[in-house]
Amino acid sequence: MTLLTHWPLVGLRLTTPRLELRLPSLDDLAALASLAAEGVHDPAVQPFTVPWTDAAPEERARSVLQYHWRCWGEWRKEDWTLNLVVLRDDVVLGTQGISGRDFPIRREVATGSWLRVAHHGQGAGTEMRAAVLQLAFAGLGARHAVSSTNVDNSASLGVSRKLGYQEDGIERHAVRGEPALLHRLRLTAERRQEHRSVPVKVEGLPACLPWFGLG
């Protein structure tokens, strides 16, 4: 028996022309924690509704590890979060997440991600989101994908619009003790087909389907 037997998600691979996405190893998690400690955005701006990046560097690093471990430990086919490490030429750039609740019924996923500051503005954000959208729509049979982002986060909004998302309302949150507006965006399976431009290869999915409540 191997880990793959008991945890088939370790065999899942998504590849784009420049990137590879996979379940992180312990070494990958250490690299992600180090990136979080360095900082993944301008500290003058808080793009996340949960301001984990306002913590001290060592707390940010630990929170990354604990978040990934918690998602692993709490995985259920009715409520799952898949966090993938993003690599280019074997260098860890950041992480891309995708989640589903009652997915076989709702057929809807949500996404979230972050990248090291040095890799912002190079197109990696578009490729990594496109990768999990291919997993969701072509691999899992999703009908909708949703995303929320701060109204000032032009980079994230640009990625969403490039991939075909449409406006789906706003949300009001409290961030750093101040009101914050978030854009909700939605991508349908039909618009996904119309805006699909990044080739993505998905490997190792069949063994994982029962973990998503499918098959």
Side-chain angles (χ1 to χ4, degrees):
M1 294 290 183
T2 65
L3 181 60
L4 188 62
T5 304
H6 303 293
W7 191 247
L9 297 169
V10 299
L12 186 62
R13 294 285 187 281
L14 313 180
T15 53
T16 70
R18 298 184 299 166
L19 307 178
E20 178 185 0
L21 287 77
R22 66 176 188 233
L23 202 71
S25 66
L26 292 180
D27 286 341
D28 294 331
L29 285 180
L32 285 172
S34 296
L35 293 184
E38 291 177 9
V40 298
H41 63 79
D42 181 349
V45 180
Q46 179 51 261
F48 307 121
T49 54
V50 178
W52 63 276
T53 50
D54 286 351
E58 63 274 13
E59 293 179 36
R60 292 200 298 269
R62 184 169 61 248
S63 72
V64 167
L65 299 176
Q66 291 175 319
Y67 175 67
H68 280 261
W69 293 333
R70 184 166 61 251
C71 290
W72 292 356
E74 295 179 352
W75 186 290
R76 295 182 298 120
K77 64 183 180 181
E78 300 87 3
D79 190 358
W80 48 264
T81 298
L82 177 68
N83 293 302
L84 303 173
V85 64
V86 180
L87 304 102
R88 183 168 64 199
D89 299 326
D90 295 322
V91 175
V92 172
L93 307 188
T95 180
Q96 173 71 60
I98 181 171
S99 61
R101 181 166 51 85
D102 295 322
F103 178 78
I105 301 170
R106 299 174 68 225
R107 296 288 172 168
E108 179 177 287
V109 298
T111 62
S113 64
W114 57 262
L115 276 169
R116 184 181 184 182
V117 174
H119 301 293
H120 290 188
Q122 299 175 14
T126 299
E127 283 193 36
M128 54 202 259
R129 179 102 64 92
V132 293
L133 291 176
Q134 179 70 4
L135 169 65
F137 286 105
L140 302 179
R143 298 300 301 164
H144 297 265
V146 296
S147 179
S148 296
T149 188
N150 191 295
V151 294
D152 296 325
N153 193 340
S154 58
S156 179
L157 287 169
V159 168
S160 295
R161 288 167 177 154
K162 187 184 303 183
L163 293 172
Y165 288 74
Q166 294 178 302
E167 296 287 339
D168 193 38
I170 61 169
E171 299 176 8
R172 292 181 63 84
H173 290 262
V175 178
R176 289 178 169 171
E178 298 289 340
L181 284 179
L182 268 69
H183 277 301
R184 286 204 311 265
L185 301 115
R186 181 174 295 272
L187 177 65
T188 64
E190 292 75 19
R191 285 186 61 83
R192 165 64 179 160
Q193 283 299 109
E194 294 171 5
H195 291 79
R196 183 180 170 188
S197 58
V198 178
V200 180
K201 182 179 180 181
V202 178
E203 300 175 276
L205 179 58
C208 301
L209 290 177
W211 288 61
F212 297 100
L214 304 171

